[in-house]
Every structure is written in structure tokens, then in C-alpha cells.
Amino acid sequence: MTEATRPAHAPATHPALPREKVGILLANLGTPDNHDYWSMRRYLSEFLSDKRVIDYPAWKWQPLLQTVILAKRPFSSGANYRLIWNTEANESPLMTITKAQTAKVAETMSARFGARVMVDFCMRYGNPSTESKVREMVAQGCSRILFFPLYPQYAGATTATANDQFFRALMKEKWQPASRTVPAYFDHPAFIEALAQSVERTYATLDHRPDLLVCSYHGMPERYLTSGDPYHCQCQKTTRLLKERLGWESSDLVTTFQSKFGPEEWLKPYTVEEVARLAQAGTKRIAVIAPAFSADCIETLEEINGEIRESFEHAGGESFTYVPCLNDDDAHIAALGEIIAENLRGWVD
């Protein structure tokens, strides 16, 4: 429970105020509350109605979304979620992992800064909402909030929309806390180190070294790149820095993009097509890592380890290894803690 006291020299009628803190609010994409049709429909409607994600005019997009797409897609998406659902906790893996990450980050921050900080998490889509967590932090005395979108590479459809939602939440507060947002950390040495360790750890368990490491990033329409989004360049730099840290040659890694949606051309090469091409060209053993995801989710557990694996094997590939996301790995938590501490300078030292 938050300790609350009246300010010094305040009259007896003055309401008690909680002790001032700095809030650290981690943010991830989101998750449906369940995998049934209506839970999936609510989640997909919120996600696909975001103008940062689908920027078509509403008059053109919403009738198609609400009648055609949301009549069918909740069934197929729900079936995919059902394959990976954490039945014991009755939640998606992303929710389970984000909770674990938050608990470890909170422990790290408490050891470093004591009771002056509090750590929590929110989701851009679904629950817990950004607005509810901002309100909770303010109520518990957070006069300053550091908002941390857990996307290593910046994209308008991820980092920017998470920040938008945070700012919208602040608009509803009568006494707004001071705020900062954490920038993309795609080239942060501690993040690259955590990625490299995850590759080395996975490779150490294999009988045969993969012929190639496929770095599969979430895709986006090509026109987003040409309109100024830095995502593509930051993905390429993450791959390059990972290669340099591992001491590998350029031929040991390839950058690809997954999760294409709709009729437009997206960033290429498409992961699902590239792994098939590699297999047909004689590459028999590959490993796949997803450096754009801070936590395993539907796009990694079902798409990479399901659809993309099948594409490789059906084309003649013999050995497919998935390198898990960093999740709540200690090196990842240490990296997040270092990034947070850097962005808290001047607030908490």
C-alpha cells in the first residue's frame, strides 16, 4: 500500500498525498484476453483499426475490416493462439513472459534505486491498457514516468503508436506527471550482447552447426520505408552488429521479414519464401532468430516455429532450429536495466 501524508504546513483539510516516486512503465504490443471468437474480434478490431498499423482511409478500410476480415480472421487467429496458449495460467505466452520480465526488472530497479521507483507493464492493445496503468501510477505517487516500449527497432506501427497511447493517457490526467520515452535500442551494446549470448547458447546444444542464421524481423509495407520510417535500416544494423559480436562472416547470416498482411509489397525478402529458396538451393540446416521481438509471441511460437519451419522442411530442409526470444533471460534483463538507468539520469541517480 502506498504511504500517504499531508504536505508540511498544509491545513488539516488538505488531502493526503502519496510519497513521490518515479514510475517505469514497460509496454508491449498486446494480447487477446482469450482465444474465443469475441475475444479475438475485440483484440483484432482494436489492433487493425490503429491508423499507425493500417493507414488506409477509414471510409475505405473500416467497412472491409468490420464485415469481411473480422467475420473470418478471429477464427483462424484464435486457432493459432489455441496452439500456444498457456492453459495453466489461461493467458497468452506474451502475457506470461511480460509478467516475468516486469518482475525481474522491478527486482533489478529496487536493488539499484530502492523504493523511489515502481515498475509495471501495459499493453498497447488489450489489457492491461496503457491508460489504466498510467492512472494507477499517478494514484500511487508517480510524479515522473519513464515509458519504455519494448521494441528494439523503432517503427511507426510499434514504438510510435505505443507512445501515442501513452500521451493520450497523460491527456486525461489533471496533474500530469513529467514524462520521458525510451528510444529504440537496436544498437545498444548490452542488447547486442544478450542476442549474441542467446545464439551461442542455442548453438552449443546442437550436434551440427547450422549453415545459416536467419534473422527474421517483423515486416512492414515498403512504402513506410520510403516515407521515412527508419525500421528497415535499424534491423539491418542489428544484424550487422550481431554478426560482428559473434565474429562471423556476412555469409553466415541473412536478414528477412515476416508476417506480411494484405496485398501491398512489404519489406523483402519474405522469411517464409526465403527459407524455402534456401532449402531448394541446398542449405540443409538453418537457425532462425527474431531480434525485433522482446518476448516470444504468436509471431514467433506459431509463425516461425510453425509456418516458416514447415516452409523450410517441405522445400527439402533437414534441420530447423528456433533461437528463442530474449524473454526474461538474465542478460536481457541486465540490458533492459542498463537502458532504463541511462534514461533515468537526472531523475534518479
Side-chain angles (χ1 to χ4, degrees):
M1 181 174 292
T2 301
E3 180 183 352
T5 58
R6 279 192 297 274
H9 311 298
T13 55
H14 194 290
L17 300 176
R19 186 181 297 277
E20 283 195 25
K21 298 185 187 70
V22 173
I24 301 163
L25 186 55
L26 310 176
N28 215 320
L29 180 76
T31 171
D33 294 325
N34 213 314
H35 47 68
D36 62 277
Y37 173 82
W38 289 109
S39 295
M40 291 303 310
R41 184 177 177 115
R42 283 193 300 273
Y43 174 73
L44 290 171
S45 181
E46 183 182 9
F47 175 46
L48 297 176
S49 294
D50 186 346
K51 294 287 286 184
R52 292 274 196 182
V53 176
I54 306 291
D55 63 355
Y56 301 148
W59 64 266
K60 179 188 294 185
W61 174 242
Q62 281 298 322
L64 176 64
L65 174 65
Q66 298 299 330
T67 57
V68 178
I69 296 173
L70 292 181
K72 299 178 180 178
R73 184 147 182 170
F75 290 110
S76 58
S77 294
N80 290 335
Y81 267 100
R82 197 173 299 115
L83 295 173
I84 64 167
W85 200 253
N86 181 347
T87 54
E88 184 177 344
N90 193 27
E91 61 190 18
S92 73
L94 178 63
M95 179 65 76
T96 303
I97 294 165
T98 304
K99 287 178 178 178
Q101 289 173 326
T102 303
K104 286 192 174 183
V105 170
E107 184 178 349
T108 299
M109 292 297 101
S110 177
R112 188 163 185 167
F113 301 118
R116 293 175 292 169
V117 301
M118 68 171 290
V119 180
D120 209 336
F121 77 94
C122 65
M123 299 293 186
R124 170 60 184 89
Y125 314 104
N127 297 305
S129 69
T130 306
E131 181 181 332
S132 69
K133 288 301 179 179
V134 168
R135 177 86 287 279
E136 196 173 307
M137 283 190 160
V138 171
Q140 294 194 46
C142 292
S143 58
R144 297 169 178 170
I145 297 178
L146 178 68
F147 185 71
F148 192 173
L150 293 176
Y151 306 110
Q153 300 80 20
Y154 175 97
T158 54
T159 310
T161 190
N163 288 340
D164 289 345
Q165 197 74 347
F166 175 56
F167 299 142
R168 279 191 284 266
L170 291 176
M171 289 172 64
K172 298 186 178 181
E173 294 301 322
K174 286 185 169 58
W175 188 353
Q176 286 183 331
S179 62
R180 292 176 180 173
T181 60
V182 176
Y185 53 100
F186 63 98
D187 58 354
H188 195 285
F191 168 64
I192 298 299
E193 179 62 27
L195 277 181
Q197 287 184 23
S198 73
V199 173
E200 291 169 339
R201 188 166 53 249
T202 299
Y203 275 39
T205 67
L206 303 177
D207 294 331
H208 300 284
R209 177 188 170 91
D211 303 316
L212 189 70
L213 177 64
V214 177
C215 298
S216 180
Y217 297 83
H218 199 288
M220 68 165 55
E222 284 184 349
R223 62 187 172 83
Y224 287 23
L225 168 63
T226 58
S227 65
D229 196 299
Y231 178 72
H232 179 266
C233 297
Q234 293 184 1
C235 292
Q236 295 288 355
K237 187 171 183 180
T238 296
T239 300
R240 176 174 64 80
L241 292 174
L242 176 60
K243 177 203 72 173
E244 292 173 358
R245 160 58 183 80
L246 290 169
W248 292 2
E249 300 297 326
S250 295
S251 56
D252 294 328
L253 302 87
V254 63
T255 296
T256 63
F257 298 91
Q258 64 182 83
S259 308
K260 182 181 183 298
F261 174 78
E264 288 189 78
E265 291 297 311
W266 279 39
L267 297 177
K268 294 185 182 72
Y270 302 141
T271 305
V272 69
E273 295 178 0
E274 182 65 8
V275 297
R277 188 196 68 78
L278 288 167
Q280 291 165 357
T283 302
K284 297 303 181 184
R285 297 187 296 269
I286 65 170
V288 181
I289 190 172
F293 297 90
S294 62
D296 275 308
C297 55
I298 191 75
E299 286 87 357
T300 63
L301 298 174
E302 195 284 323
E303 185 178 359
I304 291 180
N305 223 7
E307 177 188 356
I308 292 168
R309 175 191 288 272
E310 290 172 6
S311 177
F312 178 70
E313 292 175 347
H314 288 170
E318 296 175 359
S319 175
F320 182 101
T321 300
Y322 172 59
V323 181
C325 288
L326 296 178
N327 297 327
D328 64 340
D329 176 73
D330 288 344
H332 188 211
I333 300 303
L336 296 179
E338 190 172 327
I339 294 164
I340 289 168
E342 290 170 2
N343 282 272
L344 285 178
R345 285 174 185 162
W347 277 5
V348 182
D349 293 311

